[in-house]
mmCIF file of all heavy atoms in Angstrom:
data_model
loop_
_atom_site.group_PDB
_atom_site.id
_atom_site.type_symbol
_atom_site.label_atom_id
_atom_site.label_comp_id
_atom_site.label_asym_id
_atom_site.label_seq_id
_atom_site.Cartn_x
_atom_site.Cartn_y
_atom_site.Cartn_z
ATOM 1 N N ASN B 366 -68.190 45.503 -81.796
ATOM 2 C CA ASN B 366 -67.721 44.528 -82.745
ATOM 3 C C ASN B 366 -68.189 43.100 -82.377
ATOM 4 O O ASN B 366 -68.596 42.345 -83.211
ATOM 5 C CB ASN B 366 -66.290 44.453 -82.910
ATOM 6 C CG ASN B 366 -65.756 45.671 -83.810
ATOM 7 O OD1 ASN B 366 -66.480 46.061 -84.641
ATOM 8 N ND2 ASN B 366 -64.558 46.134 -83.588
ATOM 9 N N TYR B 367 -68.086 42.784 -81.111
ATOM 10 C CA TYR B 367 -68.221 41.431 -80.681
ATOM 11 C C TYR B 367 -69.554 40.968 -80.027
ATOM 12 O O TYR B 367 -69.865 39.773 -80.037
ATOM 13 C CB TYR B 367 -66.975 40.983 -80.012
ATOM 14 C CG TYR B 367 -65.743 41.115 -80.571
ATOM 15 C CD1 TYR B 367 -64.670 41.887 -79.937
ATOM 16 C CD2 TYR B 367 -65.475 40.482 -81.830
ATOM 17 C CE1 TYR B 367 -63.469 42.114 -80.607
ATOM 18 C CE2 TYR B 367 -64.285 40.633 -82.488
ATOM 19 C CZ TYR B 367 -63.222 41.428 -81.933
ATOM 20 O OH TYR B 367 -62.090 41.595 -82.539
ATOM 21 N N VAL B 368 -70.219 42.009 -79.541
ATOM 22 C CA VAL B 368 -71.471 41.582 -78.890
ATOM 23 C C VAL B 368 -72.565 42.013 -79.801
ATOM 24 O O VAL B 368 -72.838 43.180 -79.987
ATOM 25 C CB VAL B 368 -71.623 42.277 -77.486
ATOM 26 C CG1 VAL B 368 -72.995 41.821 -76.936
ATOM 27 C CG2 VAL B 368 -70.534 41.792 -76.547
ATOM 28 N N ALA B 369 -73.182 40.984 -80.468
ATOM 29 C CA ALA B 369 -74.074 41.259 -81.617
ATOM 30 C C ALA B 369 -75.271 42.128 -81.186
ATOM 31 O O ALA B 369 -75.624 43.062 -81.923
ATOM 32 C CB ALA B 369 -74.576 39.976 -82.236
ATOM 33 N N LEU B 370 -75.742 41.978 -80.031
ATOM 34 C CA LEU B 370 -76.961 42.718 -79.577
ATOM 35 C C LEU B 370 -76.658 44.199 -79.424
ATOM 36 O O LEU B 370 -77.384 45.052 -79.798
ATOM 37 C CB LEU B 370 -77.451 42.139 -78.179
ATOM 38 C CG LEU B 370 -78.708 42.811 -77.752
ATOM 39 C CD1 LEU B 370 -79.843 42.743 -78.680
ATOM 40 C CD2 LEU B 370 -79.168 42.167 -76.469
ATOM 41 N N ALA B 371 -75.472 44.487 -78.851
ATOM 42 C CA ALA B 371 -75.086 45.942 -78.721
ATOM 43 C C ALA B 371 -74.944 46.610 -79.987
ATOM 44 O O ALA B 371 -75.368 47.754 -80.183
ATOM 45 C CB ALA B 371 -73.736 46.005 -77.894
ATOM 46 N N GLY B 372 -74.215 45.804 -80.918
ATOM 47 C CA GLY B 372 -74.072 46.506 -82.300
ATOM 48 C C GLY B 372 -75.369 46.844 -82.896
ATOM 49 O O GLY B 372 -75.670 47.835 -83.555
ATOM 50 N N HIS B 373 -76.328 45.778 -82.713
ATOM 51 C CA HIS B 373 -77.591 45.954 -83.285
ATOM 52 C C HIS B 373 -78.436 47.100 -82.804
ATOM 53 O O HIS B 373 -78.982 47.857 -83.554
ATOM 54 C CB HIS B 373 -78.396 44.566 -83.137
ATOM 55 C CG HIS B 373 -79.791 44.578 -83.458
ATOM 56 N ND1 HIS B 373 -80.187 44.568 -84.863
ATOM 57 C CD2 HIS B 373 -80.957 44.451 -82.768
ATOM 58 C CE1 HIS B 373 -81.484 44.560 -84.903
ATOM 59 N NE2 HIS B 373 -81.953 44.439 -83.621
ATOM 60 N N ILE B 374 -78.375 47.322 -81.479
ATOM 61 C CA ILE B 374 -79.004 48.418 -80.887
ATOM 62 C C ILE B 374 -78.547 49.640 -81.376
ATOM 63 O O ILE B 374 -79.277 50.633 -81.686
ATOM 64 C CB ILE B 374 -78.894 48.225 -79.322
ATOM 65 C CG1 ILE B 374 -79.680 47.029 -78.800
ATOM 66 C CG2 ILE B 374 -79.410 49.543 -78.610
ATOM 67 C CD1 ILE B 374 -79.543 46.895 -77.308
ATOM 68 N N ARG B 375 -77.235 49.738 -81.404
ATOM 69 C CA ARG B 375 -76.560 51.008 -81.914
ATOM 70 C C ARG B 375 -76.976 51.291 -83.374
ATOM 71 O O ARG B 375 -77.312 52.403 -83.683
ATOM 72 C CB ARG B 375 -75.061 50.925 -81.700
ATOM 73 C CG ARG B 375 -74.327 52.089 -82.221
ATOM 74 C CD ARG B 375 -74.495 53.309 -81.393
ATOM 75 N NE ARG B 375 -74.082 54.468 -81.943
ATOM 76 C CZ ARG B 375 -73.219 55.309 -81.400
ATOM 77 N NH1 ARG B 375 -72.847 55.095 -80.139
ATOM 78 N NH2 ARG B 375 -72.779 56.385 -81.971
ATOM 79 N N ARG B 376 -77.070 50.260 -84.182
ATOM 80 C CA ARG B 376 -77.312 50.413 -85.628
ATOM 81 C C ARG B 376 -78.753 51.019 -85.745
ATOM 82 O O ARG B 376 -79.079 51.914 -86.319
ATOM 83 C CB ARG B 376 -77.286 49.173 -86.374
ATOM 84 C CG ARG B 376 -75.913 48.950 -87.036
ATOM 85 C CD ARG B 376 -75.935 47.829 -88.134
ATOM 86 N NE ARG B 376 -76.483 46.710 -87.542
ATOM 87 C CZ ARG B 376 -75.721 45.843 -86.839
ATOM 88 N NH1 ARG B 376 -74.490 46.101 -86.645
ATOM 89 N NH2 ARG B 376 -76.336 44.692 -86.439
ATOM 90 N N VAL B 377 -79.685 50.532 -84.938
ATOM 91 C CA VAL B 377 -81.082 50.757 -84.992
ATOM 92 C C VAL B 377 -81.169 52.246 -84.491
ATOM 93 O O VAL B 377 -81.972 52.973 -85.171
ATOM 94 C CB VAL B 377 -81.931 49.866 -84.105
ATOM 95 C CG1 VAL B 377 -83.388 50.484 -83.897
ATOM 96 C CG2 VAL B 377 -82.172 48.473 -84.773
ATOM 97 N N LEU B 378 -80.514 52.589 -83.412
ATOM 98 C CA LEU B 378 -80.541 54.005 -83.015
ATOM 99 C C LEU B 378 -80.151 54.928 -84.000
ATOM 100 O O LEU B 378 -80.564 55.974 -84.174
ATOM 101 C CB LEU B 378 -79.874 54.081 -81.633
ATOM 102 C CG LEU B 378 -80.583 53.507 -80.462
ATOM 103 C CD1 LEU B 378 -79.697 53.483 -79.198
ATOM 104 C CD2 LEU B 378 -82.017 54.151 -80.169
ATOM 105 N N ASP B 379 -78.988 54.519 -84.686
ATOM 106 C CA ASP B 379 -78.508 55.474 -85.638
ATOM 107 C C ASP B 379 -79.345 55.712 -86.806
ATOM 108 O O ASP B 379 -79.501 56.762 -87.348
ATOM 109 C CB ASP B 379 -77.176 54.866 -86.217
ATOM 110 C CG ASP B 379 -75.946 55.011 -85.199
ATOM 111 O OD1 ASP B 379 -76.097 56.033 -84.451
ATOM 112 O OD2 ASP B 379 -75.006 54.285 -85.286
ATOM 113 N N GLU B 380 -80.064 54.602 -87.152
ATOM 114 C CA GLU B 380 -80.917 54.738 -88.445
ATOM 115 C C GLU B 380 -82.152 55.602 -88.134
ATOM 116 O O GLU B 380 -82.603 56.345 -88.996
ATOM 117 C CB GLU B 380 -81.400 53.411 -88.766
ATOM 118 C CG GLU B 380 -80.432 52.597 -89.532
ATOM 119 C CD GLU B 380 -80.730 51.142 -89.629
ATOM 120 O OE1 GLU B 380 -81.809 50.733 -89.181
ATOM 121 O OE2 GLU B 380 -79.883 50.295 -90.100
ATOM 122 N N ARG B 381 -82.717 55.550 -86.878
ATOM 123 C CA ARG B 381 -83.965 56.277 -86.685
ATOM 124 C C ARG B 381 -83.645 57.780 -86.584
ATOM 125 O O ARG B 381 -82.670 58.184 -86.086
ATOM 126 C CB ARG B 381 -84.601 55.828 -85.317
ATOM 127 C CG ARG B 381 -85.033 54.433 -85.570
ATOM 128 C CD ARG B 381 -85.904 54.117 -84.388
ATOM 129 N NE ARG B 381 -86.516 52.673 -84.423
ATOM 130 C CZ ARG B 381 -87.507 52.279 -83.800
ATOM 131 N NH1 ARG B 381 -88.085 52.996 -82.852
ATOM 132 N NH2 ARG B 381 -88.011 51.031 -83.909
ATOM 133 N N PRO B 382 -84.639 58.526 -87.187
ATOM 134 C CA PRO B 382 -84.402 60.016 -87.275
ATOM 135 C C PRO B 382 -84.281 60.641 -85.876
ATOM 136 O O PRO B 382 -83.349 61.422 -85.629
ATOM 137 C CB PRO B 382 -85.646 60.542 -87.927
ATOM 138 C CG PRO B 382 -86.546 59.389 -88.196
ATOM 139 C CD PRO B 382 -85.817 58.115 -87.928
ATOM 140 N N GLU B 383 -85.145 60.224 -84.904
ATOM 141 C CA GLU B 383 -85.010 60.835 -83.494
ATOM 142 C C GLU B 383 -83.991 60.044 -82.683
ATOM 143 O O GLU B 383 -83.833 60.568 -81.513
ATOM 144 C CB GLU B 383 -86.277 60.982 -82.809
ATOM 145 C CG GLU B 383 -87.554 61.123 -83.634
ATOM 146 C CD GLU B 383 -88.097 59.855 -84.107
ATOM 147 O OE1 GLU B 383 -87.939 58.861 -83.487
ATOM 148 O OE2 GLU B 383 -88.555 59.903 -85.240
ATOM 149 N N HIS B 384 -83.446 58.991 -83.113
ATOM 150 C CA HIS B 384 -82.409 58.186 -82.398
ATOM 151 C C HIS B 384 -82.949 57.730 -81.077
ATOM 152 O O HIS B 384 -82.390 57.833 -80.093
ATOM 153 C CB HIS B 384 -81.146 59.019 -82.184
ATOM 154 C CG HIS B 384 -80.544 59.616 -83.314
ATOM 155 N ND1 HIS B 384 -80.129 58.808 -84.422
ATOM 156 C CD2 HIS B 384 -80.277 60.835 -83.710
ATOM 157 C CE1 HIS B 384 -79.599 59.679 -85.408
ATOM 158 N NE2 HIS B 384 -79.642 60.816 -84.985
ATOM 159 N N ARG B 385 -84.340 57.319 -81.107
ATOM 160 C CA ARG B 385 -84.845 56.684 -79.986
ATOM 161 C C ARG B 385 -85.544 55.362 -80.326
ATOM 162 O O ARG B 385 -86.066 55.329 -81.452
ATOM 163 C CB ARG B 385 -85.965 57.588 -79.409
ATOM 164 C CG ARG B 385 -85.597 58.980 -79.219
ATOM 165 C CD ARG B 385 -86.730 59.747 -78.625
ATOM 166 N NE ARG B 385 -86.614 59.783 -77.088
ATOM 167 C CZ ARG B 385 -85.785 60.420 -76.516
ATOM 168 N NH1 ARG B 385 -84.933 61.284 -77.154
ATOM 169 N NH2 ARG B 385 -85.718 60.376 -75.186
ATOM 170 N N ALA B 386 -85.523 54.487 -79.350
ATOM 171 C CA ALA B 386 -86.262 53.182 -79.625
ATOM 172 C C ALA B 386 -86.708 52.699 -78.270
ATOM 173 O O ALA B 386 -85.958 52.736 -77.280
ATOM 174 C CB ALA B 386 -85.305 52.121 -80.189
ATOM 175 N N PRO B 387 -87.984 52.066 -78.226
ATOM 176 C CA PRO B 387 -88.366 51.611 -76.918
ATOM 177 C C PRO B 387 -87.876 50.256 -76.590
ATOM 178 O O PRO B 387 -87.401 49.438 -77.510
ATOM 179 C CB PRO B 387 -89.987 51.570 -77.094
ATOM 180 C CG PRO B 387 -90.073 51.309 -78.694
ATOM 181 C CD PRO B 387 -88.829 51.905 -79.338
ATOM 182 N N TRP B 388 -87.973 49.932 -75.298
ATOM 183 C CA TRP B 388 -87.482 48.630 -74.766
ATOM 184 C C TRP B 388 -88.188 47.503 -75.524
ATOM 185 O O TRP B 388 -87.562 46.541 -75.888
ATOM 186 C CB TRP B 388 -87.840 48.565 -73.301
ATOM 187 C CG TRP B 388 -87.820 47.240 -72.708
ATOM 188 C CD1 TRP B 388 -88.733 46.298 -72.689
ATOM 189 C CD2 TRP B 388 -86.720 46.847 -71.758
ATOM 190 N NE1 TRP B 388 -88.396 45.195 -71.989
ATOM 191 C CE2 TRP B 388 -87.229 45.478 -71.394
ATOM 192 C CE3 TRP B 388 -85.612 47.226 -71.303
ATOM 193 C CZ2 TRP B 388 -86.431 44.668 -70.601
ATOM 194 C CZ3 TRP B 388 -84.851 46.591 -70.488
ATOM 195 C CH2 TRP B 388 -85.261 45.237 -70.065
ATOM 196 N N SER B 389 -89.438 47.624 -75.704
ATOM 197 C CA SER B 389 -90.252 46.540 -76.325
ATOM 198 C C SER B 389 -89.707 46.182 -77.569
ATOM 199 O O SER B 389 -89.936 45.075 -78.188
ATOM 200 C CB SER B 389 -91.804 46.869 -76.384
ATOM 201 O OG SER B 389 -91.865 48.192 -76.904
ATOM 202 N N ARG B 390 -89.226 47.173 -78.332
ATOM 203 C CA ARG B 390 -88.741 46.766 -79.711
ATOM 204 C C ARG B 390 -87.695 45.663 -79.767
ATOM 205 O O ARG B 390 -87.702 44.818 -80.571
ATOM 206 C CB ARG B 390 -88.190 48.041 -80.510
ATOM 207 C CG ARG B 390 -87.909 47.908 -81.898
ATOM 208 C CD ARG B 390 -86.565 48.298 -82.251
ATOM 209 N NE ARG B 390 -86.115 47.993 -83.621
ATOM 210 C CZ ARG B 390 -85.876 46.785 -84.095
ATOM 211 N NH1 ARG B 390 -85.732 45.776 -83.268
ATOM 212 N NH2 ARG B 390 -85.491 46.610 -85.310
ATOM 213 N N PHE B 391 -86.722 45.805 -78.760
ATOM 214 C CA PHE B 391 -85.680 44.846 -78.737
ATOM 215 C C PHE B 391 -86.151 43.542 -77.978
ATOM 216 O O PHE B 391 -85.664 42.551 -78.139
ATOM 217 C CB PHE B 391 -84.481 45.463 -78.098
ATOM 218 C CG PHE B 391 -83.966 46.586 -78.795
ATOM 219 C CD1 PHE B 391 -84.034 47.887 -78.334
ATOM 220 C CD2 PHE B 391 -83.454 46.386 -80.117
ATOM 221 C CE1 PHE B 391 -83.595 49.012 -78.982
ATOM 222 C CE2 PHE B 391 -82.936 47.495 -80.826
ATOM 223 C CZ PHE B 391 -82.990 48.697 -80.273
ATOM 224 N N ALA B 392 -86.987 43.790 -76.876
ATOM 225 C CA ALA B 392 -87.494 42.646 -76.069
ATOM 226 C C ALA B 392 -88.235 41.712 -76.979
ATOM 227 O O ALA B 392 -88.014 40.486 -76.839
ATOM 228 C CB ALA B 392 -88.255 43.165 -74.891
ATOM 229 N N ASP B 393 -89.163 42.184 -77.770
ATOM 230 C CA ASP B 393 -89.909 41.297 -78.642
ATOM 231 C C ASP B 393 -88.975 40.441 -79.438
ATOM 232 O O ASP B 393 -89.131 39.288 -79.764
ATOM 233 C CB ASP B 393 -90.924 42.125 -79.491
ATOM 234 C CG ASP B 393 -92.028 42.728 -78.682
ATOM 235 O OD1 ASP B 393 -92.108 42.216 -77.448
ATOM 236 O OD2 ASP B 393 -92.630 43.635 -79.119
ATOM 237 N N GLU B 394 -87.998 41.138 -80.104
ATOM 238 C CA GLU B 394 -86.998 40.537 -80.974
ATOM 239 C C GLU B 394 -86.317 39.382 -80.276
ATOM 240 O O GLU B 394 -86.092 38.355 -80.751
ATOM 241 C CB GLU B 394 -86.046 41.526 -81.457
ATOM 242 C CG GLU B 394 -85.394 41.143 -82.907
ATOM 243 C CD GLU B 394 -84.628 42.306 -83.474
ATOM 244 O OE1 GLU B 394 -84.889 43.470 -82.868
ATOM 245 O OE2 GLU B 394 -83.848 42.192 -84.342
ATOM 246 N N LEU B 395 -85.830 39.653 -78.972
ATOM 247 C CA LEU B 395 -85.129 38.641 -78.339
ATOM 248 C C LEU B 395 -86.051 37.523 -77.928
ATOM 249 O O LEU B 395 -85.627 36.442 -77.794
ATOM 250 C CB LEU B 395 -84.498 39.246 -77.036
ATOM 251 C CG LEU B 395 -83.396 40.113 -77.165
ATOM 252 C CD1 LEU B 395 -82.875 40.770 -75.846
ATOM 253 C CD2 LEU B 395 -82.179 39.375 -77.794
ATOM 254 N N GLU B 396 -87.285 37.774 -77.650
ATOM 255 C CA GLU B 396 -88.227 36.686 -77.206
ATOM 256 C C GLU B 396 -88.442 35.698 -78.273
ATOM 257 O O GLU B 396 -89.031 34.641 -77.994
ATOM 258 C CB GLU B 396 -89.480 37.347 -76.630
ATOM 259 C CG GLU B 396 -89.225 37.803 -75.267
ATOM 260 C CD GLU B 396 -90.543 38.551 -74.675
ATOM 261 O OE1 GLU B 396 -91.556 38.262 -75.210
ATOM 262 O OE2 GLU B 396 -90.328 39.350 -73.752
ATOM 263 N N ASP B 397 -88.092 36.063 -79.506
ATOM 264 C CA ASP B 397 -88.105 34.982 -80.523
ATOM 265 C C ASP B 397 -87.108 33.928 -80.334
ATOM 266 O O ASP B 397 -87.227 32.728 -80.784
ATOM 267 C CB ASP B 397 -87.917 35.567 -81.987
ATOM 268 C CG ASP B 397 -89.036 36.506 -82.347
ATOM 269 O OD1 ASP B 397 -90.013 36.286 -81.823
ATOM 270 O OD2 ASP B 397 -88.772 37.397 -83.174
ATOM 271 N N HIS B 398 -85.997 34.235 -79.580
ATOM 272 C CA HIS B 398 -84.934 33.282 -79.393
ATOM 273 C C HIS B 398 -84.865 32.703 -78.058
ATOM 274 O O HIS B 398 -84.279 31.656 -77.881
ATOM 275 C CB HIS B 398 -83.603 34.028 -79.757
ATOM 276 C CG HIS B 398 -83.515 34.628 -81.022
ATOM 277 N ND1 HIS B 398 -82.953 33.971 -82.157
ATOM 278 C CD2 HIS B 398 -83.868 35.852 -81.526
ATOM 279 C CE1 HIS B 398 -83.044 34.783 -83.257
ATOM 280 N NE2 HIS B 398 -83.567 35.849 -82.857
ATOM 281 N N MET B 399 -85.524 33.267 -77.039
ATOM 282 C CA MET B 399 -85.370 32.887 -75.678
ATOM 283 C C MET B 399 -86.596 33.329 -74.779
ATOM 284 O O MET B 399 -87.475 33.860 -75.352
ATOM 285 C CB MET B 399 -84.069 33.480 -75.140
ATOM 286 C CG MET B 399 -84.131 35.106 -75.035
ATOM 287 S SD MET B 399 -82.660 35.834 -74.376
ATOM 288 C CE MET B 399 -81.626 35.884 -75.865
ATOM 289 N N SER B 400 -86.577 32.724 -73.621
ATOM 290 C CA SER B 400 -87.732 33.129 -72.801
ATOM 291 C C SER B 400 -87.769 34.514 -72.345
ATOM 292 O O SER B 400 -86.843 35.203 -72.326
ATOM 293 C CB SER B 400 -87.720 32.155 -71.479
ATOM 294 O OG SER B 400 -86.660 32.630 -70.703
ATOM 295 N N PRO B 401 -89.000 34.937 -71.896
ATOM 296 C CA PRO B 401 -89.124 36.453 -71.632
ATOM 297 C C PRO B 401 -88.127 36.768 -70.431
ATOM 298 O O PRO B 401 -87.541 37.879 -70.433
ATOM 299 C CB PRO B 401 -90.532 36.583 -71.164
ATOM 300 C CG PRO B 401 -91.279 35.416 -71.819
ATOM 301 C CD PRO B 401 -90.326 34.317 -71.992
ATOM 302 N N GLY B 402 -87.992 35.809 -69.460
ATOM 303 C CA GLY B 402 -87.058 36.191 -68.394
ATOM 304 C C GLY B 402 -85.704 36.303 -68.863
ATOM 305 O O GLY B 402 -84.910 37.255 -68.469
ATOM 306 N N ALA B 403 -85.211 35.424 -69.755
ATOM 307 C CA ALA B 403 -83.817 35.485 -70.288
ATOM 308 C C ALA B 403 -83.645 36.742 -71.071
ATOM 309 O O ALA B 403 -82.621 37.354 -71.163
ATOM 310 C CB ALA B 403 -83.413 34.188 -70.953
ATOM 311 N N ALA B 404 -84.713 37.100 -71.864
ATOM 312 C CA ALA B 404 -84.653 38.290 -72.663
ATOM 313 C C ALA B 404 -84.431 39.478 -71.748
ATOM 314 O O ALA B 404 -83.683 40.408 -72.178
ATOM 315 C CB ALA B 404 -85.984 38.354 -73.485
ATOM 316 N N GLU B 405 -85.185 39.599 -70.767
ATOM 317 C CA GLU B 405 -85.029 40.827 -69.801
ATOM 318 C C GLU B 405 -83.688 40.862 -69.285
ATOM 319 O O GLU B 405 -83.015 41.855 -69.258
ATOM 320 C CB GLU B 405 -86.050 40.758 -68.713
ATOM 321 C CG GLU B 405 -85.711 41.608 -67.515
ATOM 322 C CD GLU B 405 -86.923 42.180 -66.850
ATOM 323 O OE1 GLU B 405 -87.954 41.584 -66.984
ATOM 324 O OE2 GLU B 405 -86.713 43.137 -66.040
ATOM 325 N N GLN B 406 -83.163 39.575 -68.873
ATOM 326 C CA GLN B 406 -81.841 39.695 -68.210
ATOM 327 C C GLN B 406 -80.877 40.092 -69.236
ATOM 328 O O GLN B 406 -79.931 40.949 -68.979
ATOM 329 C CB GLN B 406 -81.497 38.275 -67.832
ATOM 330 C CG GLN B 406 -80.212 38.081 -67.128
ATOM 331 C CD GLN B 406 -79.811 36.581 -67.067
ATOM 332 O OE1 GLN B 406 -80.450 35.793 -66.430
ATOM 333 N NE2 GLN B 406 -78.691 36.236 -67.700
#
Side-chain angles (χ1 to χ4, degrees):
Chain B
N366 280 335
Y367 300 124
V368 178
L370 181 58
H373 174 67
I374 293 178
R375 179 66 192 234
R376 266 194 307 280
V377 166
L378 287 174
D379 282 335
E380 281 164 5
R381 291 193 175 193
E383 324 87 32
H384 305 303
R385 313 181 88 75
W388 165 284
S389 47
R390 189 233 176 279
F391 301 110
D393 291 341
E394 205 171 344
L395 285 179
E396 281 173 23
D397 292 337
H398 302 267
M399 56 183 87
S400 73
E405 163 153 13
Q406 179 197 303

